[in-house]
């Protein structure tokens, strides 16, 4: 019997910190997913090439998204799928066109706010710049700097009321510094091209984002906590990768396990690599083609399938308990969360709740529920989007965290390991 995933919670959390460090952008995250699964025996496929038939372990990358799956020897045209879904992007800042700016002797970077970051958390923190450079021949190069940028906060001596309420203008106050000198004689993209080892004259386009430069750290009494950037949602990406690799060993079940990690969840998912786009549907259809499935066969397979949408949720905050439901109060360290919302901002229903409890029991992992305070708007996930696109029965889960959408978020070490164990039970069956 294969060793269960996440047998050592501390080592598992440190491995997540390694994945976060290797994934400063969604493009890097998809590449890291592919690297890890290729090392576990998965074959990377090209979307523009013919795909193999028969049993096997496969993966495909589309920009900042990746999908991996296992076709067992017993698979037929009507074999259902079990999809574990997550997302690779996180709130932050994206480099604008003509990004080399500055004044008064400072070099600054022109950036645009991406998603809904907790802006104040990005102040006084060393930042990386990462993503891809697209060259004149259409080729792409991933690139990531070390600590390069910083958003310096105004000293309290110059704003004596700052502790009464910090207000940041999203344009004027969020342009980081990266050097000293005259912007006319500097080139921020040129700095990235030099790091990547390419001629800046060949760069025709780029997708570059900021990321916290500090590595994730396990800390606290009994090493209970992990603090790191981009835990929303690389914690779920990591759980899915570890679980699928573990489930692949000796896999023999009556379903096809699938890991689907999407980009652009933080801005609505409506892109070719987002959950509202065609990526997962394309891959599932091609898996069906390889099994000689008719449309009738595919409809039968989807009707018997499951999707677990995994994303972070809110732990009860000890300093702001009034912002949470007065009864349902998940806390770090007490298990993954089952996310429920009457208005279907999460896709969980009673059948999904029962199924998740079954997989959690099989993994020996406790379950916590999460609902929002009625007076606090509820976020959403890829879960309702995937259910709407494909008609697969879907439920929403995750881990509780604090400081969601901060440049550096806080998770429970035990919850991270627990999520991975339940993900393995779900995918393995």
């Amino acid at each position: 019997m294969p060793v269960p995933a996440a047998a050592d919670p501390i080592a598992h959390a440190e491995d997540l910190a390694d994945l976060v460090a290797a994934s400063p952008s969604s493009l890097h995250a998809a590449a890291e997913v592919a690297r890890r699964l290729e090392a576990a025996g998965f074959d990377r496929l090209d979307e523009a090439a013919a795909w193999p038939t028969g049993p096997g372990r496969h993966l495909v990358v589309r920009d900042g998204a990746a999908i991996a799956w296992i076709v067992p020897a017993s698979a037929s045209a009507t074999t259902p799928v079990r999809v574990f879904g997550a997302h690779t992007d996180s709130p932050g800042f994206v480099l604008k066109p003509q990004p080399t700016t500055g004044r008064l002797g400072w070099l600054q970077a022109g950036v645009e706010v991406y998603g809904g970051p907790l802006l104040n958390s990005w102040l006084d923190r060393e930042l990386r710049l990462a993503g891809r450079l697209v060259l004149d021949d259409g080729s792409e190069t991933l690139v990531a700097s070390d600590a390069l940028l910083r958003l310096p906060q105004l000293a309290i001596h110059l704003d004596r009321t700052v502790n009464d309420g910090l207000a940041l203008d999203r344009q004027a106050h969020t342009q980081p510094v990266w050097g000293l000198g005259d912007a006319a004689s500097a080139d921020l993209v040129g700095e990235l091209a030099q790091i990547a080892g390419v001629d800046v004259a060949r760069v025709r386009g780029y997708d570059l984002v900021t990321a916290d430069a500090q590595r994730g750290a396990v800390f606290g009494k009994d090493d209970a906590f992990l603090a790191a950037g981009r835990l929303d949602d690389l914690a779920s990406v990591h759980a899915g990768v570890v679980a699928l690799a573990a489930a692949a060993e000796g896999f023999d079940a009556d379903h096809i396990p699938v890991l689907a990690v999407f980009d652009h969840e933080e801005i609505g998912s409506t892109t070719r690599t987002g959950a509202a786009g065609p990526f997962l549907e394309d891959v599932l259809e091609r898996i069906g083609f390889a099994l000689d499935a008719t449309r009738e066969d595919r409809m039968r397979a989807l009707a018997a399938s499951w999707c677990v949408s995994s994303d972070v949720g809110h732990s009860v905050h000890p300093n702001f308990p009034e912002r949470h439901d007065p009864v349902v109060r998940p806390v770090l360290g007490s298990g993954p969360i089952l996310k429920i919302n009457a208005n279907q901002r999460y896709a969980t229903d009673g059948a999904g709740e029962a199924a998740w409890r079954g997989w959690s029991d099989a993994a020996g992992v406790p379950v916590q529920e999460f609902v929002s305070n009625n007076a606090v708007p509820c976020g959403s996930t890829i879960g309702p989007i995937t259910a709407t696109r494909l008609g697969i029965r879907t439920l929403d889960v995750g881990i509780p965290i604090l400081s969601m959408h901060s440049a550096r978020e806080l998770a429970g070490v035990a919850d991270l390991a627990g999520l991975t164990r339940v993900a393995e039970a779900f995918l393995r069956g």
Side-chain angles (χ1 to χ4, degrees):
M1 180 66 124
V3 176
D8 181 342
I10 300 298
H12 180 264
E14 293 287 0
D15 188 59
L16 169 56
D18 289 341
L19 182 139
V20 171
S23 306
S25 75
S26 59
L27 294 154
H28 284 84
E32 178 66 6
V33 167
R35 185 193 71 78
R36 286 174 174 240
L37 290 178
E38 284 179 295
F42 285 71
D43 178 33
R44 182 166 176 172
L45 305 179
D46 181 348
E47 285 195 85
W51 285 6
T53 60
R57 308 175 189 179
H58 307 293
L59 70 94
V60 63
V61 173
R62 182 185 288 185
D63 295 338
I67 298 177
W69 64 98
I70 303 168
V71 179
S74 60
S76 71
T78 58
T79 298
V81 297
R82 289 193 179 184
V83 181
F84 186 86
H87 67 87
T88 59
D89 64 318
S90 298
F93 301 89
V94 174
L95 204 65
K96 287 183 175 181
Q98 303 180 40
T100 306
T101 66
R103 57 183 174 175
L104 304 173
W106 292 93
L107 296 178
Q108 293 178 276
V111 297
E112 183 174 1
V113 177
Y114 178 87
L118 195 60
L119 290 178
N120 67 291
S121 71
W122 291 83
L123 300 176
D124 297 334
R125 185 178 297 281
E126 289 68 52
L127 306 176
R128 305 170 71 186
L129 199 57
R132 67 179 168 189
L133 305 175
V134 184
L135 307 185
D136 51 8
D137 61 358
S139 63
E140 301 176 3
T141 299
L142 291 185
V143 62
S145 74
D146 293 327
L148 179 65
L149 311 171
R150 184 180 172 97
L151 278 168
Q153 189 168 190
L154 185 67
I156 192 170
H157 312 79
L158 304 178
D159 183 3
R160 297 288 184 178
T161 65
V162 66
N163 288 328
D164 299 325
L166 175 65
L168 295 174
D169 184 287
R170 292 165 69 91
Q171 176 62 43
H173 300 152
T174 63
Q175 308 306 301
V177 298
W178 64 278
L180 300 170
D182 180 6
S185 60
D187 184 357
L188 181 54
V189 176
E191 293 284 327
L192 272 293
Q194 184 176 5
I195 292 170
V198 300
D199 182 355
V200 68
R202 297 190 58 203
V203 176
R204 292 291 182 269
Y206 54 81
D207 297 289
L208 297 166
V209 301
T210 58
D212 179 29
Q214 186 178 359
R215 189 184 185 281
V218 173
F219 71 103
K221 183 181 182 298
D222 301 323
D223 289 330
F225 304 134
L226 173 70
R230 292 170 53 75
L231 292 179
D232 178 7
D233 187 32
L234 292 184
S236 296
V237 172
H238 178 256
V241 170
V242 174
L244 185 64
E249 296 302 318
F251 182 80
D252 183 19
D254 59 355
H255 64 271
I256 296 171
V258 179
L259 171 66
V261 296
F262 301 100
D263 202 351
H264 302 131
E265 189 273 346
E266 298 293 353
I267 55 172
S269 298
T270 54
T271 66
R272 68 188 293 268
T273 53
F279 190 24
L280 179 57
E281 187 173 10
D282 289 349
V283 170
L284 295 182
E285 188 170 12
R286 293 183 74 168
I287 293 172
F289 288 157
L291 296 169
D292 294 323
T294 65
R295 179 163 178 77
E296 168 75 9
D297 293 332
R298 291 198 298 273
M299 294 300 97
R300 290 174 61 189
L302 291 177
S305 296
W306 282 96
C307 176
V308 168
S309 162
S310 182
D311 204 346
V312 297
H314 302 292
S315 168
V316 64
H317 197 302
N319 296 336
F320 301 92
E322 71 280 1
R323 300 301 180 98
H324 302 271
D325 184 86
V327 175
V328 181
R329 295 191 164 191
V331 65
L332 266 65
S334 296
I337 53 174
L338 181 65
K339 302 166 77 171
I340 300 167
N341 180 257
N343 296 304
Q344 289 296 289
R345 300 292 287 171
Y346 306 130
T348 307
D349 60 9
E353 179 179 3
W356 181 252
R357 292 187 184 281
W359 295 316
S360 297
D361 288 347
V365 174
V367 177
Q368 302 187 87
E369 298 93 357
F370 170 81
V371 293
S372 292
N373 183 306
N374 288 344
V376 179
C378 179
S380 191
T381 68
I382 65 170
I385 295 171
T386 304
T388 301
R389 276 202 63 93
L390 298 176
I392 296 178
R393 187 179 289 281
T394 302
L395 60 146
D396 274 286
V397 304
I399 59 164
I401 69 168
L402 291 181
S403 307
M404 189 185 298
H405 286 199
S406 171
R408 196 166 175 86
E409 297 161 324
L410 180 66
V413 166
D415 302 328
L416 295 167
L419 178 63
T420 300
R421 292 201 298 273
V422 185
E424 184 186 353
F426 166 69
L427 291 171
R428 187 187 293 279

